[in-house]
Structure formats: C-alpha cells, structure tokens
Amino acid sequence: MFNLALLKATAKENIRLILAIGTVMMFYMIMIIYMYDPTITDAMKQYLDALPAELVRAMNFDMVEPTFTGFIVGYYYGFLIILFPMVMIMILSYRLVNRMVDRGSMAMLLSTPNPRSMIAATQALFSIVASFVLVLIVVMTAIVSAKFFFEFELDLTRFLKVNIATFAYFVALSGITFMISCLFVEAKHALSLIIAVPLFFFVIQMLQKVSDQFEWLKYLTLQTLYQPNDVLMGEPYILSTLVLISVGLIGYGIGIQMFKNKDLPI
Amino acid sequence: MIQARKITMIYPSKKGIFDVDFSVRENEVFGYLGPNGAGKTTTIRVLMGFMKAQSGSASIMGLDSWNDRDKILMDVGYLPGEIAFFDSMTAMEFLHYMLALRRVKDKTRLKQMIDHFGFDSNMVIRKLSKGNKQKLGLISACMHDPSLYILDEPTSGLDPLMQQQFIQLVKQEKKRGKTFLMSSHSFEEVEKTCDTLAIIKEGKIATIDKVDHLLMQRTKVFTLLLENMHDVETIRAAGYHITHADGYRIDVRVEGDFKAFFEVIKKVNVLDLSIQQQRLEQVFMQYYGKEHDHV
C-alpha cells in the first residue's frame, strides 16, 4: 500500500516546512489567546467597529459567542487557520509530485519495482498527515496555553468539533491540489493551478462575507462547507464534514490513478 | 532479453521515435548510439515504463514494459542521463535509501561497488563533483545485482581513468552473465565495450550491426605528409580518395581495410602521419548511404 522508505525520506525532506508553518500558526494562536480579556471583549468589538465593516466581514472576524472558546473560533478560525495551511498545502503538492518529476528524482524512484500507485499513495498519505500535524499543533497550543498560561476555560468538546471540521477542509483542499499535480505532472503547468484554485476559494469566501449581495458566491467556493462558527454554535456539521473528506479522498484517488497512467518525461 | 517491436512515441513537439525495432539477447552488451536529441532517452523511457509506446510494443524478459514494469524493474539496474539526487543526503544515505526502496537487505554488492570505484560515501551529494555523482549513479544501478543494466550515457562526466574502470566493470559483469543496453553519443566509448550497436538519428534506427563488422567498415582519414608529387600520385593511383590536398600534405580517406593501406604507404616516403578522429556525423553519413540489414 505504502512504501515506508519513501515516507521516511519525504518526512525528513519536509519536516522543516511543516514546523515552520506550524510555528507561525502557534504564534498567532498564542497572540489571540493573549488578546482575550473578558472585561474588554466589548472594547475589542468597539475597536473592530472602527474598521471598515466590509473588511471585518471579509476577514471573518466574527465572534458569535462572548466566551473564550467563541473568541478563539471567531478570530482565529475565520482567516488565519486557512491562510497558512493553504500555503503549506500548495508547496507540498508541488514538492511531492511536480518538483520530483521536473528534477528527475522521480526517475530514481520509478526505477525501483514499486507500483506507481504505491508511490503516489505514499505521497498522498504524507500530505494528509502533514495537514493533521498542523491541526494538532494548533489544538495543542490552544489547550496548553489556555490551561497553563492563562487559566481560561476552553470548551474542549466543541473546540475539537471545530478542529475536526478544519481537518476535513484541509483534506479536501489538499486532495484537490494533489489531483491537479498528478493531472498536469510537469511543474510549469501544474504550479499555476495549484496556487490559483485554493486562492480562488479563499478570496471568494472573503468577498462573499462582505455583503449580502454577494451571498450567491458561496456556491463557488469550497469553504462554504467549512463554517467554524456554525460548528461551534451546534449547527449540523457532520454532513458537510463528510462531504469535505469525500472530496479530498476522491481528489487523492483520481490523482493516484492519473499518476499510474501518465507518460512521464523523466 | 529486450524486444523493441516497431516502437513509435511522438511528443507534442512532433519529435520522438518512429518504428524503432531491435532486440537485445541475454548476455549481450548492446550499444545505442546517436547524437543528442536522436531519441536514445525516449527509447529508454519506453523500455523503463516511464512512457507508453503509442504504437508497437516493448518487452523485457518476456514481460510488457508498460503493464508489467513493476515485475521487470526488480531485475533492472538503471542509470538516467541526467542524474538527480536528493542533495541534502550523503552518498551513503542515498544508496541505503535506494536499497530500502527496493526492499533489498543484502549489502555485499554495495560494499563491493564502493570499493571498486573508490568512493568517499560520507560526503553530502551536493558537494560531489560531477564525476563522483556519476559514480554514485553507477553504484546505485549495480548494487542490487540485476540481470539487466539500462544505462543512459554512463561515462558522461567521467575522466579517462574512470572510463577505464567502467569498461572493466562492463567486461566483468558480462563474464557474470549480465546484459547491457547503454546509450552514448561517443563511438569511441561504445566500441570498447559493446558487441552490437544500433545507431539512431532523428528518431529512426539507421543501422544495427555487430561492432566488429562496423569497425571493419569504418572510415578513417589519415593526414600524410609525403615527400613529392610522385608519392601523392601513388596513393591516388591505389584508389584512395584524397579528400584534401595542400602541397604534399594530403588527407586520405581509408575504409576498413587498413592493412592494405599500410602496404601502399610502405612504398612511399611518409614524413608525417596522423589520424583524424572520425566524428559521429561521418559515421552516420556512412550508414545512411548504405543499405544494411544485419541484426
């Protein structure tokens, strides 16, 4: 199914990228937690009111519940939680497939008697694990910071639900970019789409939030299926989460299949 | 061992290989000669299962190159034309990694190869010279002791000493029953190791022949400095084509039978003699002109 030697080597090659993104995300989480002060959440709201309303809405800084958990989900999970992992997903997609083909290192891999599907599946697995690691870093940071540094009450159950939905979104997004990398194999073709597609979803989501007029845009972006505030407030999220995971797995599956049958100029 | 049956594979740029047909027998050292862009690497890509022939078929050890590539590659050692490694690894880490990918545990062959090539395997790949990178590639092609070697320009980047080591390696492996397919753009290189040679140009096979046979037909151009016009006339009268004459310094084209030529020049006063290396183009011109059907 998977090649362990490849998995280890890929992990070694990409650990620094993952930790770098993870560190940035950890930093922002700590910063947002630090900003939480039950007495001044109103002041926070006033501060945000001073900014143009469209900008605030676009960035999804929307605290639906004036609790600590609500604060975190409102300010971290609208924007930051997507931005940095999105960059990592783009870079990984490129590194796991296209860069190897372009450089010729794929030739060394494919000169071994490992089925192409196994090689592609191993890269896909790593991609999913990388997303999981990011979510893990964020969750651990929140739990540890809340408990030990600030003694705030984090509603663990609901917080974890939000993060499950978040992970599902990453699986979907990375599945789509993986599929793109395998569809277009050569870096020059794949790269523009790998960057454009996630960015498109991201930007459309921002625009859609700006005003009611743009609500129809929600049909154009994958992020519609990922609404962390709704998850927090107890709205049904299982279906959209399952859809996201399916989209991801289908994307990976198509990618692996494409890779099996591609002519590779290596 | 290898059967290439009328393989056609055309890139979107319209370049490619057309109706390439040849076979490599077991324990044969088969040379695949052609200029850059002729289609050598394309042919190898089809044989290795990297690309699928658009028409025709390629099989190795009786198995289809595209559909059964996983089985075939168990027993093939491959050296790509452009070696790309994982720069941050050391040479040894890379070799162990390749063995691990292949799930090969036996490291004896690896140790033998490292000793044979004399190699500092603890250096980071990024810092290796081109020659050492090429050696590393060769080691990684040999270390799992395959029956068939497919090598794309194996001596590129190697200095003459290392080239000699490579030639010895091929001869040793041949004695052990191994088969080779190696591509090159240097006639000098293949003539020292190969039994059979296929020449490819612009995607088509120009000729396939035993190397001995080709050598016999090879043209060399000798530059002779003679003493007088009578000498020059003697050469001309013997039927040799004088391609260039500058006073008593003449270029004489001699095909194949050098013994007869030496008999002739014994009769004249040769003040100086040198041999022009035959360029690949000249080899091709020769083989395009003749109709060969030797396989």
Side-chain angles (χ1 to χ4, degrees):
Chain A
M1 260 261 72
F2 305 111
N3 189 297
L4 205 62
L6 175 61
L7 197 59
K8 275 200 249 178
T10 304
K12 214 174 153 201
E13 198 192 331
N14 291 295
I15 189 76
R16 280 196 287 190
L17 171 68
I18 299 174
L19 288 182
I21 303 274
T23 305
V24 171
M25 294 178 74
M26 186 162 67
F27 170 74
Y28 275 105
M29 176 57 91
I30 294 178
M31 209 176 77
I32 288 196
I33 292 177
Y34 187 72
M35 280 179 356
Y36 180 68
D37 185 334
T39 60
I40 64 158
T41 36
D42 289 322
M44 187 69 184
K45 269 217 151 169
Q46 277 173 21
Y47 173 70
L48 284 174
D49 284 337
L51 294 171
E54 286 81 13
L55 186 62
V56 174
R57 279 201 293 265
M59 307 257 266
N60 227 356
F61 282 160
D62 189 11
M63 181 175 66
V64 291
E65 197 188 78
T67 61
F68 177 61
T69 315
F71 182 80
I72 307 259
V73 173
Y75 294 114
Y76 193 85
Y77 284 76
F79 179 72
L80 295 167
I81 190 70
I82 300 296
L83 183 65
F84 302 113
M86 181 173 78
V87 170
M88 186 197 78
I89 286 172
M90 290 178 190
I91 296 177
L92 265 189
S93 266
Y94 165 67
R95 280 188 179 188
L96 293 176
V97 180
N98 309 109
R99 187 169 76 167
M100 294 193 80
V101 171
D102 258 25
R103 282 191 182 167
S105 22
M106 192 59 88
M108 297 312 278
L109 265 189
L110 293 185
S111 71
T112 63
N114 290 303
R116 281 208 200 171
S117 49
M118 186 188 262
I119 304 238
T122 306
Q123 301 296 72
L125 177 67
F126 182 77
S127 174
I128 293 175
V129 168
S131 289
F132 183 78
V133 166
L134 283 189
V135 174
L136 196 66
I137 289 177
V138 171
V139 167
M140 293 312 293
T141 305
I143 293 176
V144 168
S145 307
K147 201 162 194 137
F148 294 108
F149 299 132
F150 298 100
E151 288 168 20
F152 294 135
E153 276 304 310
L154 184 66
D155 186 339
L156 204 57
T157 323
R158 288 193 297 157
F159 185 61
L160 285 179
K161 280 188 195 171
V162 171
N163 282 289
I164 289 173
T166 307
F167 176 59
Y169 183 68
F170 294 161
V171 170
L173 196 62
S174 58
I176 291 175
T177 54
F178 187 82
M179 181 182 77
I180 295 172
S181 337
C182 293
L183 210 56
F184 294 106
V185 151
E186 281 184 82
K188 53 181 191 269
H189 304 133
L191 213 47
S192 29
L193 273 182
I194 288 174
I195 294 175
V197 171
L199 209 55
F200 178 76
F201 290 151
F202 188 70
V203 169
I204 295 288
Q205 159 85 347
M206 282 172 75
L207 285 176
Q208 185 249 316
K209 291 278 178 187
V210 163
S211 132
D212 284 338
Q213 273 188 309
F214 297 139
E215 217 190 310
W216 62 274
L217 282 174
K218 72 180 182 197
Y219 296 111
L220 293 180
T221 172
L222 190 64
Q223 274 191 245
T224 306
L225 292 170
Y226 171 64
Q227 297 296 333
N229 277 325
D230 291 349
V231 179
L232 183 68
M233 297 313 287
E235 304 249 2
Y237 73 102
I238 301 217
L239 185 62
S240 52
T241 300
L242 284 176
V243 170
L244 283 174
I245 295 193
S246 309
V247 167
L249 292 178
I250 292 173
Y252 280 116
I254 294 178
I256 293 171
Q257 193 59 27
M258 298 259 89
F259 188 72
K260 251 176 93 173
N261 295 312
K262 266 291 177 187
D263 280 338
L264 299 171
I266 49 184
Chain B
M1 203 35 130
I2 302 181
Q3 305 268 27
R5 292 270 164 267
K6 293 195 173 308
I7 303 174
T8 298
M9 168 72 227
I10 309 175
Y11 295 108
S13 60
K14 300 282 195 288
K15 287 187 132 186
I17 54 178
F18 308 87
D19 279 333
V20 163
D21 197 299
F22 63 90
S23 343
V24 177
R25 281 192 299 270
E26 209 178 313
N27 203 214
E28 190 173 19
V29 179
F30 193 89
Y32 203 60
L33 191 66
N36 292 322
K40 306 191 292 294
T41 302
T42 309
T43 310
I44 289 179
R45 283 175 183 161
V46 172
L47 291 175
M48 289 294 293
F50 297 157
M51 300 186 96
K52 186 173 186 185
Q54 284 154 2
S55 72
S57 68
S59 65
I60 296 183
M61 302 183 232
L63 299 165
D64 183 71
S65 288
W66 179 257
N67 293 316
D68 298 319
R69 59 173 100 97
D70 308 328
K71 291 197 203 95
I72 294 173
L73 292 176
M74 293 275 273
D75 208 10
V76 172
Y78 170 65
L79 182 67
E82 300 264 336
I83 311 214
F85 298 114
F86 308 96
D87 283 345
S88 47
M89 286 191 190
T90 66
M92 198 48 121
E93 280 169 4
F94 170 73
L95 291 169
H96 281 160
Y97 175 46
M98 290 303 293
L99 279 177
L101 280 176
R102 288 181 162 272
R103 279 172 263 239
V104 167
K105 301 226 165 84
D106 186 1
K107 300 204 166 71
T108 37
R109 194 74 189 133
L110 171 62
K111 291 199 181 88
Q112 276 177 351
M113 289 288 101
I114 292 185
D115 289 335
H116 178 98
F117 281 102
F119 200 71
D120 178 11
S121 48
N122 286 315
M123 271 199 88
V124 174
I125 292 178
R126 198 185 304 124
K127 296 191 181 158
L128 289 174
S129 64
K130 167 127 209 239
N132 278 330
K133 281 189 189 171
Q134 193 72 12
K135 277 188 192 175
L136 184 60
L138 277 171
I139 295 175
S140 91
C142 302
M143 60 186 180
H144 53 285
D145 208 18
S147 310
L148 170 64
Y149 290 98
I150 296 183
L151 312 173
D152 198 348
E153 314 226 2
T155 58
S156 99
L158 296 185
D159 64 43
L161 181 64
M162 290 193 257
Q163 282 178 16
Q164 281 307 309
Q165 281 179 324
F166 172 73
I167 291 169
Q168 271 163 33
L169 178 69
V170 174
K171 296 202 160 120
Q172 267 176 320
E173 291 300 288
K174 183 161 183 217
K175 283 206 192 98
R176 294 179 67 222
K178 311 292 185 180
T179 311
F180 283 82
L181 168 73
M182 62 177 107
S183 76
S184 172
H185 54 253
S186 155
F187 198 89
E188 266 66 44
E189 183 179 295
V190 295
E191 71 175 285
K192 290 178 193 152
T193 48
C194 299
D195 306 318
T196 312
L197 194 60
I199 298 182
I200 181 166
K201 195 180 183 204
E202 283 168 16
K204 304 201 178 94
I205 301 261
T207 191
I208 303 176
D209 210 339
K210 294 273 171 233
V211 167
D212 293 336
H213 195 233
L214 290 173
L215 279 176
M216 266 180 20
Q217 294 159 23
R218 209 156 62 136
T219 307
K220 279 198 193 287
V221 177
F222 290 85
T223 303
L224 303 173
L225 178 60
L226 301 171
E227 207 162 67
N228 51 54
M229 266 331 268
H230 177 73
D231 287 343
V232 175
E233 285 311 311
T234 308
I235 304 285
R236 205 192 296 269
Y240 291 107
H241 182 49
I242 297 180
T243 59
H244 181 77
D246 181 14
Y248 304 142
R249 187 179 291 274
I250 58 170
D251 289 347
V252 187
R253 183 187 294 150
V254 180
E255 258 177 57
D257 191 357
F258 301 119
K259 195 170 172 193
F261 179 65
F262 291 139
E263 292 297 322
V264 172
I265 61 176
K266 264 202 272 186
K267 300 182 203 151
V268 297
N269 301 304
V270 178
L271 299 175
D272 193 31
L273 181 148
S274 61
I275 305 172
Q276 281 180 29
Q277 296 284 49
Q278 184 175 35
R279 286 181 358 247
L280 198 60
E281 275 307 298
Q282 293 163 326
V283 179
F284 288 165
M285 293 316 283
Q286 207 180 318
Y287 296 126
Y288 264 134
K290 298 186 183 164
E291 242 120 84
H292 274 280
D293 223 354
H294 300 273
V295 172

